[in-house]
Amino acid sequence: MTYLISLRDYINDYMGQELYRVGRYGVRFLVCLLLMFAGHAKTVTAQVSFAGTQTKIRNGDFSAAVLLDTLPKEHLFALGPEEGLRSELFVWNGRIIRAGVWRENGQPYVEKDAKGMQAVFLVWANVPAWDTVVLQENIVSLRQLEQIIGMNAHRHGLDTSKAFPFLLLGKFLNAQGHIMDNDTSRNLITAATGGEAKKYFPVDGQRVQLLGFYSHHHRGIFTHHDSFTHIHYRTYSKHHAGHLDEASFDPSEPLRLLLAKKATF
């Protein structure tokens, strides 16, 4: 005798058997699947990009290397000097901040949400999320801070052979920074102009937000020739920002280091 079954009946019967098997071995199967994907998981950190170099300034070239308005603004963190060395540029989470000096009284000012800014050189990264590390050390110099940042980044699992961004939140004990304030009406521009354009300001006792970039391989590009870091600061009053030259930190208040959260997929 010949029996005919419909395609639907066959599929239902087959699926019923498979569902039974999955029900019986499902946990083991899922565990194996997760282990397989974990073995191929990839960890990605924030990509650091740059345009122009610090060497341009030493050579007396203050022309623009990048227009900030062309960069993707979402979660953008960036720093560098403005074209012509007229000011310092500081981008915090997509918001462009221009730090300058009033010609009338020589005092610093901050212009928020600046438009049309161009930089002699710029280093940047887009960082959607950060992990926080509370630093326990009594930090008395930028050289010590640099070492501590590198050590904590390594502990955090970052590849410190590659450039990475960082933030710091804390209070200065003693500090000094500068703001570029070149008089662009000057006809003669030389290699010395870069140094002459710096206006220095004390930042003692100020609570600050710091943005920096760390790299072993970019001296003279976006870090100084004798340093692995380049750091800009902004006071909590939001009326003063600039490039950080010297700093010690108040040990009575916590100093928080923020490192880019690693994405795994």
Side-chain angles (χ1 to χ4, degrees), residues 99-129:
V101 179
W102 293 114
R103 293 288 168 81
E104 295 81 1
N105 57 17
Q107 293 301 303
Y109 72 87
V110 168
E111 177 186 352
K112 301 174 184 176
D113 300 315
K115 304 296 183 183
M117 294 292 100
Q118 300 183 85
V120 179
F121 72 88
L122 193 79
V123 55
W124 71 89
N126 296 83
V127 186

mmCIF file of all heavy atoms in Angstrom, residues 99-129:
data_model
loop_
_atom_site.group_PDB
_atom_site.id
_atom_site.type_symbol
_atom_site.label_atom_id
_atom_site.label_comp_id
_atom_site.label_asym_id
_atom_site.label_seq_id
_atom_site.Cartn_x
_atom_site.Cartn_y
_atom_site.Cartn_z
ATOM 1 N N ALA A 99 39.993 79.081 22.408
ATOM 2 C CA ALA A 99 40.591 79.779 23.559
ATOM 3 C C ALA A 99 41.518 80.869 23.046
ATOM 4 O O ALA A 99 42.495 80.585 22.348
ATOM 5 C CB ALA A 99 41.358 78.790 24.420
ATOM 6 N N GLY A 100 41.199 82.111 23.384
ATOM 7 C CA GLY A 100 41.993 83.244 22.906
ATOM 8 C C GLY A 100 42.362 84.199 24.022
ATOM 9 O O GLY A 100 42.093 83.950 25.207
ATOM 10 N N VAL A 101 42.972 85.308 23.638
ATOM 11 C CA VAL A 101 43.410 86.347 24.578
ATOM 12 C C VAL A 101 42.856 87.683 24.104
ATOM 13 O O VAL A 101 43.029 88.060 22.933
ATOM 14 C CB VAL A 101 44.949 86.416 24.654
ATOM 15 C CG1 VAL A 101 45.377 87.516 25.619
ATOM 16 C CG2 VAL A 101 45.530 85.072 25.067
ATOM 17 N N TRP A 102 42.191 88.416 25.021
ATOM 18 C CA TRP A 102 41.695 89.740 24.684
ATOM 19 C C TRP A 102 42.865 90.692 24.466
ATOM 20 O O TRP A 102 43.755 90.795 25.308
ATOM 21 C CB TRP A 102 40.802 90.297 25.798
ATOM 22 C CG TRP A 102 39.503 89.585 25.996
ATOM 23 C CD1 TRP A 102 39.120 88.855 27.078
ATOM 24 C CD2 TRP A 102 38.404 89.559 25.091
ATOM 25 N NE1 TRP A 102 37.857 88.362 26.902
ATOM 26 C CE2 TRP A 102 37.385 88.775 25.691
ATOM 27 C CE3 TRP A 102 38.175 90.113 23.820
ATOM 28 C CZ2 TRP A 102 36.160 88.541 25.059
ATOM 29 C CZ3 TRP A 102 36.957 89.862 23.195
ATOM 30 C CH2 TRP A 102 35.972 89.093 23.817
ATOM 31 N N ARG A 103 42.855 91.386 23.353
ATOM 32 C CA ARG A 103 43.922 92.350 23.077
ATOM 33 C C ARG A 103 43.842 93.554 24.018
ATOM 34 O O ARG A 103 44.866 94.161 24.355
ATOM 35 C CB ARG A 103 43.819 92.826 21.617
ATOM 36 C CG ARG A 103 44.125 91.727 20.599
ATOM 37 C CD ARG A 103 45.600 91.390 20.561
ATOM 38 N NE ARG A 103 45.872 90.171 19.819
ATOM 39 C CZ ARG A 103 45.952 90.098 18.509
ATOM 40 N NH1 ARG A 103 45.747 91.177 17.783
ATOM 41 N NH2 ARG A 103 46.212 88.943 17.920
ATOM 42 N N GLU A 104 42.638 93.896 24.457
ATOM 43 C CA GLU A 104 42.458 95.088 25.287
ATOM 44 C C GLU A 104 43.121 94.955 26.656
ATOM 45 O O GLU A 104 43.715 95.904 27.166
ATOM 46 C CB GLU A 104 40.968 95.395 25.461
ATOM 47 C CG GLU A 104 40.250 95.777 24.175
ATOM 48 C CD GLU A 104 39.853 94.569 23.341
ATOM 49 O OE1 GLU A 104 40.129 93.408 23.777
ATOM 50 O OE2 GLU A 104 39.280 94.777 22.256
ATOM 51 N N ASN A 105 42.994 93.782 27.274
ATOM 52 C CA ASN A 105 43.512 93.640 28.643
ATOM 53 C C ASN A 105 44.430 92.434 28.836
ATOM 54 O O ASN A 105 44.896 92.197 29.951
ATOM 55 C CB ASN A 105 42.346 93.569 29.638
ATOM 56 C CG ASN A 105 41.381 92.422 29.323
ATOM 57 O OD1 ASN A 105 41.711 91.497 28.586
ATOM 58 N ND2 ASN A 105 40.178 92.498 29.890
ATOM 59 N N GLY A 106 44.655 91.674 27.776
ATOM 60 C CA GLY A 106 45.569 90.538 27.881
ATOM 61 C C GLY A 106 45.034 89.362 28.667
ATOM 62 O O GLY A 106 45.795 88.462 29.031
ATOM 63 N N GLN A 107 43.725 89.326 28.930
ATOM 64 C CA GLN A 107 43.126 88.241 29.699
ATOM 65 C C GLN A 107 42.573 87.143 28.775
ATOM 66 O O GLN A 107 42.170 87.419 27.644
ATOM 67 C CB GLN A 107 42.001 88.785 30.592
ATOM 68 C CG GLN A 107 42.494 89.708 31.694
ATOM 69 C CD GLN A 107 43.496 89.022 32.609
ATOM 70 O OE1 GLN A 107 43.197 87.981 33.195
ATOM 71 N NE2 GLN A 107 44.674 89.602 32.733
ATOM 72 N N PRO A 108 42.549 85.915 29.255
ATOM 73 C CA PRO A 108 42.039 84.819 28.419
ATOM 74 C C PRO A 108 40.525 84.852 28.296
ATOM 75 O O PRO A 108 39.820 85.355 29.167
ATOM 76 C CB PRO A 108 42.503 83.564 29.167
ATOM 77 C CG PRO A 108 42.603 83.998 30.595
ATOM 78 C CD PRO A 108 43.054 85.430 30.554
ATOM 79 N N TYR A 109 40.035 84.310 27.199
ATOM 80 C CA TYR A 109 38.589 84.162 27.012
ATOM 81 C C TYR A 109 38.327 82.851 26.275
ATOM 82 O O TYR A 109 39.232 82.247 25.692
ATOM 83 C CB TYR A 109 38.006 85.338 26.222
ATOM 84 C CG TYR A 109 38.373 85.353 24.760
ATOM 85 C CD1 TYR A 109 37.619 84.671 23.805
ATOM 86 C CD2 TYR A 109 39.488 86.065 24.319
ATOM 87 C CE1 TYR A 109 37.965 84.681 22.465
ATOM 88 C CE2 TYR A 109 39.846 86.084 22.979
ATOM 89 C CZ TYR A 109 39.080 85.392 22.052
ATOM 90 O OH TYR A 109 39.435 85.403 20.722
ATOM 91 N N VAL A 110 37.073 82.425 26.306
ATOM 92 C CA VAL A 110 36.656 81.206 25.627
ATOM 93 C C VAL A 110 35.458 81.519 24.742
ATOM 94 O O VAL A 110 34.481 82.116 25.193
ATOM 95 C CB VAL A 110 36.291 80.098 26.639
ATOM 96 C CG1 VAL A 110 35.573 78.940 25.951
ATOM 97 C CG2 VAL A 110 37.547 79.576 27.336
ATOM 98 N N GLU A 111 35.555 81.128 23.485
ATOM 99 C CA GLU A 111 34.433 81.235 22.552
ATOM 100 C C GLU A 111 33.874 79.838 22.341
ATOM 101 O O GLU A 111 34.577 78.940 21.864
ATOM 102 C CB GLU A 111 34.896 81.827 21.219
ATOM 103 C CG GLU A 111 33.808 81.895 20.164
ATOM 104 C CD GLU A 111 34.327 82.343 18.802
ATOM 105 O OE1 GLU A 111 35.506 82.754 18.715
ATOM 106 O OE2 GLU A 111 33.549 82.260 17.831
ATOM 107 N N LYS A 112 32.608 79.657 22.691
ATOM 108 C CA LYS A 112 31.976 78.346 22.586
ATOM 109 C C LYS A 112 31.287 78.184 21.234
ATOM 110 O O LYS A 112 30.799 79.153 20.654
ATOM 111 C CB LYS A 112 30.965 78.163 23.715
ATOM 112 C CG LYS A 112 31.587 78.281 25.106
ATOM 113 C CD LYS A 112 30.540 78.243 26.189
ATOM 114 C CE LYS A 112 31.163 78.459 27.566
ATOM 115 N NZ LYS A 112 30.138 78.520 28.632
ATOM 116 N N ASP A 113 31.245 76.954 20.752
ATOM 117 C CA ASP A 113 30.603 76.618 19.482
ATOM 118 C C ASP A 113 31.143 77.471 18.339
ATOM 119 O O ASP A 113 30.383 78.014 17.520
ATOM 120 C CB ASP A 113 29.082 76.771 19.596
ATOM 121 C CG ASP A 113 28.494 75.866 20.656
ATOM 122 O OD1 ASP A 113 28.874 74.679 20.693
ATOM 123 O OD2 ASP A 113 27.665 76.344 21.453
ATOM 124 N N ALA A 114 32.460 77.598 18.289
ATOM 125 C CA ALA A 114 33.111 78.392 17.257
ATOM 126 C C ALA A 114 32.889 77.759 15.883
ATOM 127 O O ALA A 114 32.887 76.542 15.739
ATOM 128 C CB ALA A 114 34.593 78.525 17.553
ATOM 129 N N LYS A 115 32.715 78.599 14.870
ATOM 130 C CA LYS A 115 32.458 78.129 13.511
ATOM 131 C C LYS A 115 33.624 78.516 12.594
ATOM 132 O O LYS A 115 34.322 79.495 12.820
ATOM 133 C CB LYS A 115 31.162 78.735 12.971
ATOM 134 C CG LYS A 115 29.939 78.488 13.832
ATOM 135 C CD LYS A 115 29.581 77.008 13.913
ATOM 136 C CE LYS A 115 28.304 76.797 14.712
ATOM 137 N NZ LYS A 115 27.987 75.359 14.869
ATOM 138 N N GLY A 116 33.791 77.738 11.543
ATOM 139 C CA GLY A 116 34.782 78.055 10.525
ATOM 140 C C GLY A 116 36.218 77.950 10.989
ATOM 141 O O GLY A 116 37.114 78.547 10.376
ATOM 142 N N MET A 117 36.472 77.175 12.048
ATOM 143 C CA MET A 117 37.823 77.084 12.593
ATOM 144 C C MET A 117 38.701 76.166 11.734
ATOM 145 O O MET A 117 38.275 75.092 11.315
ATOM 146 C CB MET A 117 37.787 76.554 14.021
ATOM 147 C CG MET A 117 37.112 77.478 15.033
ATOM 148 S SD MET A 117 38.047 78.993 15.336
ATOM 149 C CE MET A 117 37.129 80.159 14.295
ATOM 150 N N GLN A 118 39.918 76.613 11.499
ATOM 151 C CA GLN A 118 40.915 75.828 10.801
ATOM 152 C C GLN A 118 42.153 75.711 11.687
ATOM 153 O O GLN A 118 42.486 76.645 12.420
ATOM 154 C CB GLN A 118 41.293 76.466 9.467
ATOM 155 C CG GLN A 118 40.118 76.613 8.508
ATOM 156 C CD GLN A 118 40.543 77.171 7.173
ATOM 157 O OE1 GLN A 118 40.967 76.450 6.282
ATOM 158 N NE2 GLN A 118 40.421 78.479 7.028
ATOM 159 N N ALA A 119 42.833 74.573 11.621
ATOM 160 C CA ALA A 119 43.957 74.314 12.510
ATOM 161 C C ALA A 119 45.245 74.121 11.727
ATOM 162 O O ALA A 119 45.250 73.519 10.649
ATOM 163 C CB ALA A 119 43.676 73.080 13.358
ATOM 164 N N VAL A 120 46.351 74.626 12.315
ATOM 165 C CA VAL A 120 47.678 74.389 11.740
ATOM 166 C C VAL A 120 47.960 72.892 11.753
ATOM 167 O O VAL A 120 48.438 72.320 10.776
ATOM 168 C CB VAL A 120 48.765 75.132 12.544
ATOM 169 C CG1 VAL A 120 50.148 74.863 11.961
ATOM 170 C CG2 VAL A 120 48.477 76.626 12.580
ATOM 171 N N PHE A 121 47.686 72.266 12.878
ATOM 172 C CA PHE A 121 47.667 70.807 12.972
ATOM 173 C C PHE A 121 46.583 70.440 13.965
ATOM 174 O O PHE A 121 46.212 71.242 14.831
ATOM 175 C CB PHE A 121 49.029 70.226 13.380
ATOM 176 C CG PHE A 121 49.411 70.461 14.813
ATOM 177 C CD1 PHE A 121 49.021 69.575 15.808
ATOM 178 C CD2 PHE A 121 50.171 71.561 15.173
ATOM 179 C CE1 PHE A 121 49.371 69.789 17.138
ATOM 180 C CE2 PHE A 121 50.528 71.785 16.493
ATOM 181 C CZ PHE A 121 50.128 70.895 17.475
ATOM 182 N N LEU A 122 46.067 69.247 13.843
ATOM 183 C CA LEU A 122 44.976 68.805 14.718
ATOM 184 C C LEU A 122 45.095 67.305 14.921
ATOM 185 O O LEU A 122 45.435 66.561 14.002
ATOM 186 C CB LEU A 122 43.622 69.134 14.094
ATOM 187 C CG LEU A 122 42.410 69.007 15.024
ATOM 188 C CD1 LEU A 122 42.316 70.244 15.917
ATOM 189 C CD2 LEU A 122 41.113 68.847 14.224
ATOM 190 N N VAL A 123 44.829 66.863 16.145
ATOM 191 C CA VAL A 123 44.731 65.436 16.450
ATOM 192 C C VAL A 123 43.349 65.207 17.034
ATOM 193 O O VAL A 123 42.851 66.012 17.822
ATOM 194 C CB VAL A 123 45.856 64.986 17.408
ATOM 195 C CG1 VAL A 123 45.890 65.809 18.685
ATOM 196 C CG2 VAL A 123 45.726 63.499 17.727
ATOM 197 N N TRP A 124 42.706 64.090 16.624
ATOM 198 C CA TRP A 124 41.329 63.879 17.070
ATOM 199 C C TRP A 124 40.970 62.398 17.123
ATOM 200 O O TRP A 124 41.657 61.544 16.550
ATOM 201 C CB TRP A 124 40.358 64.618 16.160
ATOM 202 C CG TRP A 124 40.188 64.062 14.774
ATOM 203 C CD1 TRP A 124 39.298 63.111 14.360
ATOM 204 C CD2 TRP A 124 40.926 64.435 13.596
ATOM 205 N NE1 TRP A 124 39.430 62.859 13.020
ATOM 206 C CE2 TRP A 124 40.416 63.666 12.525
ATOM 207 C CE3 TRP A 124 41.958 65.343 13.356
ATOM 208 C CZ2 TRP A 124 40.920 63.774 11.224
ATOM 209 C CZ3 TRP A 124 42.461 65.454 12.067
ATOM 210 C CH2 TRP A 124 41.946 64.687 11.013
ATOM 211 N N ALA A 125 39.858 62.134 17.824
ATOM 212 C CA ALA A 125 39.270 60.797 17.895
ATOM 213 C C ALA A 125 37.793 60.952 18.209
ATOM 214 O O ALA A 125 37.393 61.915 18.869
ATOM 215 C CB ALA A 125 39.957 59.948 18.963
ATOM 216 N N ASN A 126 36.994 60.023 17.738
ATOM 217 C CA ASN A 126 35.568 59.976 18.067
ATOM 218 C C ASN A 126 35.368 58.864 19.094
ATOM 219 O O ASN A 126 35.587 57.690 18.799
ATOM 220 C CB ASN A 126 34.733 59.715 16.824
ATOM 221 C CG ASN A 126 34.837 60.837 15.808
ATOM 222 O OD1 ASN A 126 35.784 60.882 15.016
ATOM 223 N ND2 ASN A 126 33.900 61.755 15.834
ATOM 224 N N VAL A 127 34.966 59.272 20.304
ATOM 225 C CA VAL A 127 34.892 58.330 21.426
ATOM 226 C C VAL A 127 33.481 58.371 22.014
ATOM 227 O O VAL A 127 33.124 59.328 22.710
ATOM 228 C CB VAL A 127 35.926 58.673 22.522
ATOM 229 C CG1 VAL A 127 35.926 57.587 23.592
ATOM 230 C CG2 VAL A 127 37.320 58.843 21.930
ATOM 231 N N PRO A 128 32.671 57.350 21.775
ATOM 232 C CA PRO A 128 31.291 57.373 22.279
ATOM 233 C C PRO A 128 31.162 57.071 23.762
ATOM 234 O O PRO A 128 30.171 57.455 24.389
ATOM 235 C CB PRO A 128 30.600 56.292 21.440
ATOM 236 C CG PRO A 128 31.696 55.367 21.033
ATOM 237 C CD PRO A 128 32.922 56.213 20.875
ATOM 238 N N ALA A 129 32.141 56.366 24.357
ATOM 239 C CA ALA A 129 32.009 55.980 25.772
ATOM 240 C C ALA A 129 33.396 55.851 26.396
ATOM 241 O O ALA A 129 34.373 55.518 25.706
ATOM 242 C CB ALA A 129 31.243 54.673 25.907
#
